[in-house]
Amino acid sequence: MTLLIPIMTALLSAQDPLARVEQEAAKVTPALIEIRHQIHQNPELSNREEKTAALIADYLRKLGLEVQTGVAHHGVVAVLKGGLPGPVVAVRADIDALPVTEQTNLPFASKVRTTYLGQEVGVMHACGHDIHTAVQLGVASVLTAMKATVPGTVKFIFQPAEEGAPPGETGGASLMVKEGVLQNPRPQAIFGLHAFSEMAVGDIGYSEGPALSAADSWEVKITGKQAHGARPELSIDPIVTAAQFVEALQTIRSRSFSGHEPGVVTIGTIHGGQRLNIIPADVTLSGTIRTFRPEMSTLAEARLRAILKGVTEAAGATGEVVRYERGAPATINNVPLTRDTVPALERVVGKQHVIPVPPAMGSEDFSFFANEVPGFFYRLGQVKPGTTSGDHHTPTFLADDSAIPIGVKAMSVVILDYLSRHK
């Protein structure tokens, strides 16, 4: 009878993976919550995730997985080879924090401060990457415990610098892809999730097809002629010209895009002048343009350049596009993969808790992976009932610990479901 127990356990796991996943997730949840607190209390900015990466690698090695470190600076990759033959699938979590000063009442709130772009700043996991990391470590634990019945191979990708490498540096998903993270072995599909500040714990959101926009960034310099504030006739006023440029930029979305075409044009910074009674020589502006199709990004850049040229020439000033950079492309969920995966999510949390959500104008460099292999990226509810969370990237962003076990169960079942359907 003793010899039959492992065989019966293996059969049960194969027939009903959710029951086994729930059992294993319950075992590791307390440890995952502790890890989340540790990561949250000790956040590290993009391309500076040394301690976070070391914690992740140590955890994965203790599970007995093959671990690679130093990928794209501080990325960690681990491979789990299941006990049964099958395909290769990848799952990704991001690990970096933001230059935001935390304003929550969490007992494990960050007090970390550092220097970013020459300024002293607070550091905070204000986008849920600590939740993502804890969830993915939990998935690694669950699937390792079920290794004998896993039909295939799982590649765990812990990605640094999702929020963008500092100026002058490379990093993030694009660098991981360039360094071969999707090779040896190459996955057939990749999955990812993101905590969602507008969704309650227990709910999961998804978009079929377009999910998150591309993000272009730009910087413009307008040069006029300096003069005394009381003698504007002697100046070529770059501030007035910049104001006209800002107004005209909005016609990119309102007059160059179809009314059915999503798009956002935002001016994030305007810098110019030193004193209230001096018309300055120049003004610098920067911003972002969000689109879902490459041709719309190309159109937006062309219009920005044309508007800058026209406005500055009319004023007698000069305009220079200091930089126009394509950031992360749009995240487009593979439609067949999405449709095949949603039922797995529904088995975990219930059909009524798996909710279609409209595409968002936020950006995610998960898209670099999903442009290489079919990808599916979904939202994990993070708000504890009776509480509220600030928006992503704000000091009051608040993700609850109770999202972790749900995330672990959901992603574990998604992976097992995919492997089982494609073995």
Side-chain angles (χ1 to χ4, degrees), residues 55 69 87 153 164 195 248 256 290 308 323 364 389 394 421:
L55 182 155
T69 60
T153 298
S256 297
R290 306 298 175 105
L308 178 66
R323 62 177 177 84
E364 242 289 348
S389 170
T394 68
R421 285 188 289 104

mmCIF file of all heavy atoms in Angstrom, residues 55 69 87 153 164 195 248 256 290 308 323 364 389 394 421:
data_model
loop_
_atom_site.group_PDB
_atom_site.id
_atom_site.type_symbol
_atom_site.label_atom_id
_atom_site.label_comp_id
_atom_site.label_asym_id
_atom_site.label_seq_id
_atom_site.Cartn_x
_atom_site.Cartn_y
_atom_site.Cartn_z
ATOM 1 N N LEU A 55 18.288 37.842 -3.369
ATOM 2 C CA LEU A 55 17.236 37.165 -2.610
ATOM 3 C C LEU A 55 16.495 36.171 -3.504
ATOM 4 O O LEU A 55 16.232 35.020 -3.104
ATOM 5 C CB LEU A 55 16.269 38.204 -2.037
ATOM 6 C CG LEU A 55 15.108 37.731 -1.158
ATOM 7 C CD1 LEU A 55 14.671 38.854 -0.219
ATOM 8 C CD2 LEU A 55 13.908 37.286 -1.985
ATOM 9 N N THR A 69 22.149 34.088 -13.144
ATOM 10 C CA THR A 69 22.069 35.455 -12.645
ATOM 11 C C THR A 69 22.838 36.398 -13.568
ATOM 12 O O THR A 69 23.540 35.969 -14.478
ATOM 13 C CB THR A 69 22.638 35.559 -11.223
ATOM 14 O OG1 THR A 69 24.012 35.141 -11.236
ATOM 15 C CG2 THR A 69 21.860 34.671 -10.256
ATOM 16 N N PRO A 87 6.000 20.679 -23.691
ATOM 17 C CA PRO A 87 6.552 21.907 -24.268
ATOM 18 C C PRO A 87 7.272 22.770 -23.225
ATOM 19 O O PRO A 87 7.313 22.444 -22.036
ATOM 20 C CB PRO A 87 5.309 22.620 -24.803
ATOM 21 C CG PRO A 87 4.216 22.162 -23.894
ATOM 22 C CD PRO A 87 4.538 20.742 -23.536
ATOM 23 N N THR A 153 8.562 21.987 -19.512
ATOM 24 C CA THR A 153 9.592 22.816 -18.883
ATOM 25 C C THR A 153 9.054 24.224 -18.671
ATOM 26 O O THR A 153 8.364 24.765 -19.542
ATOM 27 C CB THR A 153 10.853 22.865 -19.767
ATOM 28 O OG1 THR A 153 11.377 21.533 -19.905
ATOM 29 C CG2 THR A 153 11.917 23.765 -19.168
ATOM 30 N N GLY A 164 12.216 51.246 -16.815
ATOM 31 C CA GLY A 164 13.106 51.955 -17.725
ATOM 32 C C GLY A 164 14.471 52.182 -17.125
ATOM 33 O O GLY A 164 14.595 52.629 -15.980
ATOM 34 N N ALA A 195 -0.342 43.601 -10.867
ATOM 35 C CA ALA A 195 -1.284 44.075 -9.853
ATOM 36 C C ALA A 195 -2.035 45.282 -10.391
ATOM 37 O O ALA A 195 -1.474 46.102 -11.128
ATOM 38 C CB ALA A 195 -0.534 44.439 -8.581
ATOM 39 N N ALA A 248 -0.858 73.363 -29.782
ATOM 40 C CA ALA A 248 -0.933 72.766 -31.113
ATOM 41 C C ALA A 248 -0.696 71.258 -31.083
ATOM 42 O O ALA A 248 -1.240 70.520 -31.922
ATOM 43 C CB ALA A 248 0.074 73.447 -32.044
ATOM 44 N N SER A 256 -5.376 64.474 -36.245
ATOM 45 C CA SER A 256 -4.571 63.591 -37.099
ATOM 46 C C SER A 256 -4.934 62.125 -36.921
ATOM 47 O O SER A 256 -4.630 61.308 -37.785
ATOM 48 C CB SER A 256 -3.079 63.785 -36.806
ATOM 49 O OG SER A 256 -2.674 65.100 -37.111
ATOM 50 N N ARG A 290 1.366 58.028 -26.575
ATOM 51 C CA ARG A 290 0.939 56.632 -26.433
ATOM 52 C C ARG A 290 0.048 56.245 -27.612
ATOM 53 O O ARG A 290 -0.927 56.931 -27.917
ATOM 54 C CB ARG A 290 0.177 56.434 -25.118
ATOM 55 C CG ARG A 290 0.946 56.907 -23.860
ATOM 56 C CD ARG A 290 2.226 56.123 -23.676
ATOM 57 N NE ARG A 290 3.033 56.604 -22.580
ATOM 58 C CZ ARG A 290 3.135 55.974 -21.389
ATOM 59 N NH1 ARG A 290 2.432 54.892 -21.150
ATOM 60 N NH2 ARG A 290 3.941 56.460 -20.460
ATOM 61 N N LEU A 308 6.324 71.684 -34.472
ATOM 62 C CA LEU A 308 7.441 72.437 -33.897
ATOM 63 C C LEU A 308 8.030 73.395 -34.936
ATOM 64 O O LEU A 308 8.277 74.578 -34.639
ATOM 65 C CB LEU A 308 8.514 71.474 -33.393
ATOM 66 C CG LEU A 308 9.758 72.129 -32.799
ATOM 67 C CD1 LEU A 308 9.419 72.879 -31.511
ATOM 68 C CD2 LEU A 308 10.855 71.096 -32.534
ATOM 69 N N ARG A 323 15.470 64.728 -28.810
ATOM 70 C CA ARG A 323 15.356 63.264 -28.947
ATOM 71 C C ARG A 323 13.893 62.898 -29.155
ATOM 72 O O ARG A 323 12.987 63.578 -28.675
ATOM 73 C CB ARG A 323 15.904 62.540 -27.717
ATOM 74 C CG ARG A 323 15.164 62.847 -26.423
ATOM 75 C CD ARG A 323 15.709 62.054 -25.240
ATOM 76 N NE ARG A 323 15.034 62.417 -24.000
ATOM 77 C CZ ARG A 323 13.880 61.897 -23.590
ATOM 78 N NH1 ARG A 323 13.295 60.958 -24.324
ATOM 79 N NH2 ARG A 323 13.321 62.288 -22.472
ATOM 80 N N GLU A 364 4.034 48.648 -20.905
ATOM 81 C CA GLU A 364 4.686 47.523 -20.247
ATOM 82 C C GLU A 364 5.700 46.918 -21.201
ATOM 83 O O GLU A 364 5.366 46.577 -22.336
ATOM 84 C CB GLU A 364 3.636 46.457 -19.888
ATOM 85 C CG GLU A 364 3.480 46.166 -18.426
ATOM 86 C CD GLU A 364 4.652 45.417 -17.809
ATOM 87 O OE1 GLU A 364 5.510 44.919 -18.556
ATOM 88 O OE2 GLU A 364 4.688 45.333 -16.572
ATOM 89 N N SER A 389 -6.705 52.195 -2.837
ATOM 90 C CA SER A 389 -5.308 52.310 -3.235
ATOM 91 C C SER A 389 -5.136 53.536 -4.100
ATOM 92 O O SER A 389 -6.005 53.868 -4.920
ATOM 93 C CB SER A 389 -4.860 51.069 -4.015
ATOM 94 O OG SER A 389 -3.588 51.271 -4.604
ATOM 95 N N THR A 394 2.148 56.300 -7.526
ATOM 96 C CA THR A 394 1.860 57.374 -6.572
ATOM 97 C C THR A 394 2.245 56.927 -5.153
ATOM 98 O O THR A 394 2.335 55.728 -4.875
ATOM 99 C CB THR A 394 0.372 57.769 -6.587
ATOM 100 O OG1 THR A 394 -0.423 56.690 -6.052
ATOM 101 C CG2 THR A 394 -0.091 58.089 -8.001
ATOM 102 N N ARG A 421 -2.363 21.023 -22.285
ATOM 103 C CA ARG A 421 -3.046 21.096 -23.571
ATOM 104 C C ARG A 421 -2.091 20.948 -24.749
ATOM 105 O O ARG A 421 -2.529 20.649 -25.874
ATOM 106 C CB ARG A 421 -3.808 22.422 -23.695
ATOM 107 C CG ARG A 421 -5.080 22.473 -22.868
ATOM 108 C CD ARG A 421 -5.907 23.730 -23.159
ATOM 109 N NE ARG A 421 -5.286 24.944 -22.637
ATOM 110 C CZ ARG A 421 -4.649 25.845 -23.359
ATOM 111 N NH1 ARG A 421 -4.528 25.663 -24.666
ATOM 112 N NH2 ARG A 421 -4.134 26.938 -22.804
#
